Amino acid sequence: MKISVIVPVHNEEENILFLIEEIVKAMRAAQAYEIIYVDDGSNDNTATVLRHALQKTKSLRVIRHERSYGQSTAIYTGVKAANYSCIATLDGDGQNDPADIPRLYEVFMRQSKRLGNLWMVVGWRRKRHDSAWRLFSSRAANTVRSRLLGDNTPDTGCGLKLFLRDKFLLLPYFDHMHRFLPALILRAGGQVISEPVNHRPRMAGYSKYGTLDRLWVGITDLLGVMWLKRRMKLPVIKESENGY
């Protein structure tokens, strides 16, 4: 297993050190790995904590945005900078369990033999530790999105995903694209499967992305992805031999 673990963060100073320790522990069996933290313009002590962590963790890399550009851009920055062909992403709040990464990798490798064009394994938080309002809004959004886009993914909002770097970079980039990755991959001709993963309460801090903010931008982005799907054509290609 050679893998790049990408963690986008914005003002997560209290959650950084323990999550890095957990990632290192989870990756001990990997042949090679790197941890890429993308600091998306934090204005708390996130940058300072990451500088100290760099001195103690050889596998850690830190990239900083001068200002906040959003989670999708932070993920995109990390993927472009990654050295390995397999990518795992985690939310920086500690609610995703890094111990699930090796299992998702095993699932990906096993299912790739059965499915000829598997690009991504998406984490599925069956038992979530969130507020009642957050659970309701997330389930409603997943239901609407799934029906309109037909992505057959029960939980696109889970930050824990494992995918191929080169395939990800083929997808159209736009703000908030991380919420629509399964639909974008299906549109491009790839396949996606979901796998149950652990979900934990926040250790510290609070969510930096409001529900109403996600709602309004989500409606616009949903319409945009629907347009992209309608405009995409995947031709069946056959190369002729001997000039015929």
Side-chain angles (χ1 to χ4, degrees), residues 46 64 86 88 175 195:
T46 290
R64 175 173 170 79
C86 188
D175 197 12
E195 179 71 14

Side-chain angles (χ1 to χ4, degrees), residues 3-222:
I3 190 167
S4 297
V5 181
I6 296 172
V7 187
V9 289
H10 179 73
N11 292 349
E12 293 287 358
E13 58 180 319
E14 297 170 290
N15 294 311
I16 290 171
L17 294 181
F18 85 89
L19 185 56
I20 290 176
E21 291 177 359
E22 287 190 324
I23 297 172
V24 170
K25 182 178 179 181
M27 294 292 102
R28 283 177 180 171
Q31 182 181 355
Y33 75 95
E34 62 182 354
I35 305 168
I36 303 176
Y37 263 72
V38 182
D39 178 4
D40 185 35
S42 297
N43 53 26
D44 63 352
N45 289 320
T46 290
T48 301
V49 175
L50 285 171
R51 280 198 298 270
H52 291 159
L54 273 171
Q55 300 173 9
K56 301 178 180 180
T57 310
K58 293 181 180 180
S59 58
L60 177 63
R61 299 170 58 193
V62 175
I63 301 172
R64 175 173 170 79
H65 290 165
E66 288 300 314
R67 64 179 179 85
S68 179
Y69 292 94
Q71 189 172 354
S72 284
T73 302
I75 292 172
Y76 197 79
T77 293
V79 173
K80 287 195 297 182
N83 288 315
Y84 299 119
S85 60
C86 188
I87 304 291
T89 60
L90 290 168
D91 284 341
D93 56 14
Q95 289 194 267
N96 300 140
D97 189 348
D100 282 319
I101 295 176
R103 183 169 57 83
L104 291 187
Y105 181 83
E106 291 176 1
V107 170
F108 183 89
M109 297 304 293
R110 184 174 66 250
Q111 294 298 329
S112 292
K113 297 177 182 179
R114 184 178 65 87
L115 303 171
N117 204 22
L118 182 62
W119 289 14
M120 174 180 284
V121 179
V122 181
W124 179 6
R125 300 165 293 179
R126 280 182 170 174
K127 297 181 180 180
R128 293 184 58 173
H129 294 273
D130 286 319
S131 67
W133 171 248
R134 192 176 180 89
L135 286 172
F136 169 78
S137 60
S138 180
R139 287 169 180 167
N142 275 317
T143 298
V144 172
R145 186 213 67 256
S146 182
R147 288 180 179 177
L148 292 178
L149 298 182
D151 58 18
N152 196 32
T153 303
D155 187 12
T156 63
C158 181
L160 182 53
K161 298 179 175 71
L162 189 139
F163 53 88
L164 298 174
R165 178 181 182 272
D166 61 338
K167 301 301 185 183
F168 175 90
L169 293 176
L170 292 176
L171 303 177
Y173 164 75
F174 56 90
D175 197 12
H176 308 292
M177 69 174 288
H178 68 281
R179 300 191 183 105
F180 300 95
L181 286 176
L184 293 172
I185 287 174
L186 292 173
R187 168 186 175 271
Q191 296 190 57
V192 180
I193 60 174
S194 297
E195 179 71 14
V197 294
N198 187 26
H199 188 246
R200 311 179 295 190
R202 247 187 182 270
M203 296 295 292
Y206 59 92
S207 174
K208 309 306 184 295
Y209 303 97
T211 301
L212 291 179
D213 293 338
R214 290 198 305 270
L215 173 62
W216 292 119
V217 298
I219 292 173
T220 302
D221 292 336
L222 179 60

